[in-house]
Amino acid sequence: MTLVKVPFAPEPYPPGSSEILEDISQESSHGWTPLFQHKCSFPPEIFSQVMLNLIRNPNINSNHLFRADISLEQPFNENFQNDTTIPARVIQFRNYTLQKVMVRTMIPRNILKDKPLDQTCLFYANTTDTGEVQSLVIYLPHISSPHESPFYHPGVYGIAFQHIFNPETQDTTIAIHYAFFDSEPRTQKLERTAEHLLAALYKHGQGTAAGYVKKVHHDTIIPQATVQNAYARLKAKYAKTLIENWAEATDPEKHVFEDLNIAAFLIELWADTYKDTEFPGYVDIGCGNGLLVHILSEEGYKGWGFDARERKSWSVFGPKTREKLQELVLIPSILFSESNENETSGPDVHDGNFPKGTFIISNHADELTPWTPILANISQSPFMMIPCCSHALSGARCRAPPPKGSGGTPSAYASLVAWVAGLAEGCGWEVEKEWLRIPSTRNAALIGRRRKLNYEDVDVREFVDANGGATGWKENALKLVTGKAKNH
């Protein structure tokens, strides 16, 4: 099938157009009104693939939604069982064969404000006498009136997505239909929502047909629902107070929601990592505004954080958090000569040696990012780093080299992530990567929990020298004490 690029410009069905879909279910009396249609270039199998993805990920169509929990997914045949906790609503259409039944519960981001919505999703197919292949997907929200529908879902009885493909001419069309409630007829608002839904189908269908490969994959370490449930709990518990009492000059919502997300991920990561042993504690190096330490402290996790400069927030968080935050400059002990070990002494300097097993957090820690897996080696400790700005091991700003063998020109951030991941692997770590669902484009988390090499097999000093050396680190690190505060 030849892909033809067509800009999205849907053709509306005028009011009063004849119905195309005929619901033949005895218990249903709703008509299906065609609203928009559009030519496309993707075949039936891609239509089904895209619709399945949209069903599993309703957040694609609405940023008010977290996810969908699927409670039923069965082929519709003689063995179909509709005795689940949330029974499916099944309807039939003339000339169409029902093939698959799904039930999903859409979970909103703000569970205190918005309610979840159960919905049946039905897949149908039909091949006409002329060979035309017709595919149909129906959404039936489990509501009996438009007033029961949450604001993130149109107040209609049902939504139909139709795909029609002519194998002989290769002509292909997608369309969207609504089944309206009698008490909520066709409105411009509902039409706009329909156009948005059809646009999403068109965009993802065309992209898939063009060979689009997803660049990042979320939820590879901890399931999406697990982290999102933890985030929703933390958000409900802390967000309002934190935003209202924000002491920094930065955007409170961005930073609060970001660190609540990171805290949720860490909490669930630790639950998985330490399920059979005691949590060893953590240290947040380059902790910035201290918010992450505050959240983890409030949740009962032992640990502390430090940064080169105290932030206004530290005292706002209260004495319980304040005592866990220290103003320290990190100068790794391996940068001092063996003959003068006292160089690392002093209340304002930390030598980068932590109790064995301490979980090291490096959250947008800039100069400390490339040092994170090295410090983890020295202390024989696991770590998680979220790279932000690129710095060499000397502390000087630099642009990380592009990864070897990369096609095209990778972005500066992609190069940074690949470079620090390479440093971690060179230190003997098995690196796990997760793209966090946070309000930041700097959202790659690199995690080291398992080793590929024994610690003693890595000469840390030689490793640092082989990767550009650290000449100038002490001077650059001490400059941070008088520099401007970071925005994290």
Side-chain angles (χ1 to χ4, degrees):
M1 185 175 187
T2 303
L3 180 65
V4 179
K5 289 187 176 181
V6 181
F8 184 73
E11 178 186 348
Y13 288 92
S17 297
S18 300
E19 294 181 5
I20 299 170
L21 303 174
E22 184 182 354
D23 184 347
I24 57 174
S25 305
Q26 292 182 354
E27 64 276 11
S28 177
S29 60
H30 295 88
W32 290 82
T33 303
L35 296 175
F36 296 98
Q37 63 177 338
H38 199 287
K39 292 187 179 300
C40 65
S41 303
F42 53 91
E45 55 269 23
I46 287 182
F47 169 75
S48 298
Q49 176 186 338
V50 169
M51 288 306 306
L52 188 60
N53 185 53
L54 292 173
I55 289 169
R56 295 189 185 281
N57 299 281
N59 50 294
I60 292 173
N61 274 321
S62 174
N63 57 15
H64 295 286
L65 292 170
F66 251 156
R67 65 177 190 276
D69 291 341
I70 308 297
S71 57
L72 175 68
E73 184 172 358
Q74 286 187 31
F76 188 79
N77 52 33
E78 65 276 4
N79 298 318
F80 176 73
Q81 299 290 326
N82 196 15
D83 55 359
T84 57
T85 305
I86 308 173
R89 295 187 174 185
V90 177
I91 60 175
Q92 300 288 351
F93 289 87
R94 189 173 302 282
N95 298 325
Y96 280 90
T97 301
L98 178 57
Q99 296 184 321
K100 184 163 73 171
V101 179
M102 298 178 68
V103 174
R104 65 174 177 174
T105 300
M106 290 183 281
I107 308 298
R109 288 186 179 276
N110 190 339
I111 57 176
L112 297 180
K113 180 180 178 182
D114 309 316
K115 62 181 180 180
L117 177 65
D118 298 328
Q119 186 184 72
T120 297
C121 304
L122 307 167
F123 287 72
Y124 305 79
N126 175 46
T127 302
T128 67
D129 294 338
T130 60
E132 188 176 74
V133 179
Q134 301 177 344
S135 306
L136 184 66
V137 173
I138 299 291
Y139 292 173
L140 295 177
H142 292 195
I143 57 176
S144 56
S145 74
H147 307 294
E148 297 176 23
S149 181
F151 81 97
Y152 57 78
H153 189 282
V156 295
Y157 169 79
I159 304 170
F161 298 90
Q162 188 181 33
H163 181 277
I164 300 175
F165 172 59
N166 188 319
E168 184 176 345
T169 64
Q170 298 289 294
D171 290 339
T172 313
T173 303
I174 52 174
I176 187 167
H177 312 244
Y178 274 0
F180 296 102
F181 286 108
D182 293 338
S183 59
E184 185 76 16
R186 181 172 180 167
T187 63
Q188 287 187 347
K189 180 180 178 181
L190 290 174
E191 288 180 355
R192 286 195 301 270
T193 305
E195 186 173 347
H196 167 77
L197 293 173
L198 191 65
L201 168 59
Y202 176 78
K203 173 186 174 182
H204 288 269
Q206 294 293 103
T208 302
Y212 168 76
V213 178
K214 191 173 183 180
K215 293 181 180 179
V216 300
H217 296 275
H218 298 281
D219 317 310
T220 59
I221 299 175
I222 305 297
Q224 176 186 2
T226 302
V227 177
Q228 287 184 338
N229 288 342
Y231 169 70
R233 179 182 64 80
L234 295 178
K235 181 181 177 183
K237 189 174 181 181
Y238 300 113
K240 185 174 185 293
T241 300
L242 289 172
I243 291 171
E244 289 177 348
N245 294 282
W246 191 248
E248 306 295 337
T250 51
D251 179 5
E253 290 192 359
K254 176 187 182 298
H255 291 278
V256 168
F257 294 152
E258 184 173 311
D259 279 9
L260 286 171
N261 251 306
I262 294 170
F265 180 80
L266 281 170
I267 287 170
E268 297 304 332
L269 178 71
W270 291 340
D272 175 68
T273 305
Y274 303 107
K275 55 180 174 289
D276 297 320
T277 187
E278 183 181 355
F279 177 63
Y282 71 88
V283 59
D284 186 354
I285 62 175
C287 67
N289 57 42
L291 177 56
L292 185 58
V293 172
H294 174 64
I295 297 167
L296 294 173
S297 174
E298 290 296 301
E299 287 296 297
Y301 291 89
K302 64 178 181 180
W304 65 292
F306 65 90
D307 203 284
R309 294 172 310 283
E310 181 177 350
R311 304 296 200 273
K312 295 177 183 177
S313 301
W314 290 13
S315 57
V316 173
F317 292 142
K320 179 181 175 182
T321 296
R322 182 62 187 86
E323 66 182 13
K324 299 177 186 296
L325 298 170
Q326 297 186 36
E327 191 175 56
L328 297 169
V329 175
L330 191 148
I331 301 179
S333 58
I334 63 169
L335 301 186
F336 293 96
S337 63
E338 295 180 2
S339 61
N340 195 357
E341 294 181 358
N342 290 332
E343 284 186 276
T344 60
S345 64
D348 57 346
V349 172
H350 195 285
D351 64 5
N353 288 285
F354 306 107
K356 182 178 179 180
T358 301
F359 193 98
I360 300 174
I361 302 169
S362 170
N363 173 21
H364 293 179
D366 294 347
E367 294 88 350
L368 293 177
T369 299
W371 277 98
T372 304
I374 299 171
L375 297 173
N377 252 49
I378 294 171
S379 297
Q380 299 187 17
S381 295
F383 67 88
M384 183 179 85
M385 56 178 167
I386 306 174
C388 181
C389 300
S390 187
H391 291 79
L393 289 171
S394 66
R397 280 187 172 274
C398 71
R399 181 179 176 116
K404 294 180 180 179
S406 60
T409 305
S411 68
Y413 187 65
S415 297
L416 171 61
V417 171
W419 179 60
V420 293
L423 290 178
E425 290 170 353
C427 284
W429 292 102
E430 177 185 323
V431 179
E432 300 173 272
K433 183 186 293 185
E434 181 63 273
W435 294 93
L436 301 175
R437 297 176 181 272
I438 60 176
S440 172
T441 56
R442 307 291 200 267
N443 63 331
L446 302 174
I447 299 155
R449 296 188 288 177
R450 293 179 284 272
R451 298 286 298 174
K452 295 192 296 183
L453 298 174
N454 294 324
Y455 290 108
E456 56 269 21
D457 292 338
V458 179
D459 187 312
V460 176
R461 285 188 174 87
E462 287 185 2
F463 182 80
V464 170
D465 290 340
N467 285 277
T471 301
W473 170 263
K474 286 184 282 186
E475 293 77 9
N476 286 325
L478 291 172
K479 288 178 184 177
L480 294 174
V481 178
T482 57
K484 291 184 178 180
K486 300 175 188 175
N487 291 327
H488 82 278

